[in-house]
Amino acid sequence: LKGKFNPSKIIPFKTTKDDAIKAFKAYNKGKLFMPDEFTNPINIQKISGIYIPFFIYDCDVESDLDIIGTRVHRWSTASYRYTKTDFYKLKRCASVHFENIPVDGATKFPDDIMNSIEPFNYDELQDFSPSYLTGFLSERFDIDKNQLFEIAKVRASQSTEQAVLSQITSYVTKTIE
């Protein structure tokens, strides 16, 4: 990892290979339908940590949301059951500052898997030294930083929308127009 591929910071692994193998074996224990490839000792010895490049972004989100909210009222008489649904147009504005939005810089691994390992403990960030990579695999980033920033902005916008919707509690449904 040299030149533009050389990271500035790294979160070092805390788990050794032996610890990972023990945890993997404990996870597999008692699982009768686990494929043989997962329990083959030769494959288990191939377990290795891998460093994945992430870029970290800060951004501000200004959100002006138009939302349709519904309230439902149900009642019945001896002969009929009634449902009344009222629709409300809601307007919410939000201004949110985000720090340390991580975005996976390698296309080799699916984004949903990479996002599942978050959140990261940024207190553990260390200045990069190639010695951290000894005994581990590592990937290079293969996505442009500007594309990654666009992904970070989308994530921040979605988080803002979710936060706004979660604060509107008196409606049965809430849909952003």
Side-chain angles (χ1 to χ4, degrees), residues 65-71 86-88 90 92 161-177:
L65 300 175
D66 292 317
I67 302 163
I68 300 296
T70 62
R71 289 186 178 151
D86 293 316
F87 293 85
Y88 297 87
L90 310 169
R92 296 292 188 268
E161 289 175 0
Q162 290 171 359
V164 168
L165 288 176
S166 72
Q167 292 177 358
I168 302 171
T169 59
S170 60
Y171 296 90
V172 174
T173 64
K174 301 162 285 199
T175 308
I176 297 174
E177 286 190 303

Side-chain angles (χ1 to χ4, degrees), residues 128-148:
F128 176 75
S129 167
S131 64
Y132 285 119
L133 303 180
T134 303
F136 298 104
L137 301 172
S138 62
E139 275 298 311
R140 290 184 183 188
F141 70 87
D142 58 2
I143 305 173
D144 179 71
K145 293 178 192 178
N146 294 325
Q147 285 178 275
L148 296 173

Side-chain angles (χ1 to χ4, degrees), residues 5 7 22 50 57 59 76 80 94 96 103 135 151 155-156 170 176:
F5 295 107
K22 285 178 190 171
I50 183 168
Y57 297 95
C59 72
S76 59
Y80 297 99
V96 183
V103 183
I151 293 169
R155 289 183 69 185
S170 60
I176 297 174

